[in-house]
Amino acid sequence: MTEAVPSYLSPTGQEVVFLLLGAVAVGSALLVVTTRQLVHAALWLVVSFGALAGGYLVLTAEFVAWVQVLIYVGAVVVLLLFGIMLTRAPIGRSPDLDSGNRVVALVVAVATAAVLVTVVIEGFRTAYTPLRPGPGSAKQLGASVFSTWVLPFEALSVLLLAALIGAIVLSRTDIPGGKPPEPEETGGK
């Protein structure tokens, strides 16, 4: 007996949740690149990463979902916010964040999305895999990360450490080469 392939017109509950999480991820990613406030962009990035982790949970990849939460939401966004605070970047609305290429960027984004959606739909039109929880692959994934990918993993750690040290050096005023102290305003004349 062959298993009946469900129709795209009658999605399962898992498929509906996955589509909703995908819409949240795409919507918040658009808000990341369109907002004019840097801190709000970082917070929308948290929402996007959280929706992506939820998508991994729906696809029964629990280990990848928790790594997404711990590494991206917990570490990268916190590092980004610390970088904003340490470099004294403007926190409110900043007109410098607009390059003036919105129309070109929109055309390129829509064209790229159209090509990707077309390729995925044409390539996987008849493919269907039911979502069944597996035994978990944390052991295989951990062995791969710490054997095959250990050098890029450590290089990324050193790069993030160098970025944090650079932000501290740039924000300090008592270190030679740092930002000069701003003159205090005197009231009067």
Side-chain angles (χ1 to χ4, degrees):
M1 293 188 135
T2 60
E3 191 175 312
V5 176
S7 169
Y8 291 108
L9 298 177
S10 60
T12 64
Q14 288 176 319
E15 292 168 346
V16 170
V17 170
F18 184 76
L19 289 173
L20 290 174
L21 287 169
V24 169
V26 169
S28 57
L30 285 172
L31 288 169
V32 168
V33 297
T34 57
T35 187
R36 290 183 184 259
Q37 296 188 10
L38 202 53
V39 174
H40 288 183
L43 295 176
W44 282 117
L45 190 62
V46 168
V47 174
S48 181
F49 286 156
L52 189 59
Y56 287 136
L57 282 175
V58 171
L59 293 175
T60 67
E62 293 86 5
F63 180 75
V64 179
W66 290 118
V67 167
Q68 172 81 18
V69 169
L70 290 174
I71 301 299
Y72 287 102
V73 175
V76 172
V77 174
V78 169
L79 183 67
L80 178 68
L81 289 172
F82 275 137
I84 291 169
M85 289 186 293
L86 287 174
T87 58
R88 296 188 183 123
I91 293 185
R93 292 188 177 270
S94 178
D96 297 339
L97 295 178
D98 189 9
S99 68
N101 295 327
R102 287 181 182 233
V103 175
V104 175
L106 182 65
V107 169
V108 170
V110 168
T112 303
V115 168
L116 288 174
V117 167
T118 303
V119 167
V120 168
I121 287 175
E122 290 301 318
F124 298 102
R125 182 179 300 273
T126 58
Y128 178 79
T129 302
L131 297 175
R132 293 188 198 112
S137 61
K139 183 177 180 181
Q140 294 87 358
L141 190 58
S144 174
V145 165
F146 292 112
S147 62
T148 308
W149 299 102
V150 71
L151 186 61
F153 183 80
E154 292 301 326
L156 181 63
S157 301
V158 170
L159 179 69
L160 290 173
L161 178 64
L164 185 60
I165 291 170
I168 291 170
V169 168
L170 287 175
S171 67
R172 300 271 313 260
T173 58
D174 58 341
I175 298 174
K179 289 171 59 176
E182 296 186 18
E184 295 181 19
E185 290 186 28
T186 58
K189 306 182 181 183

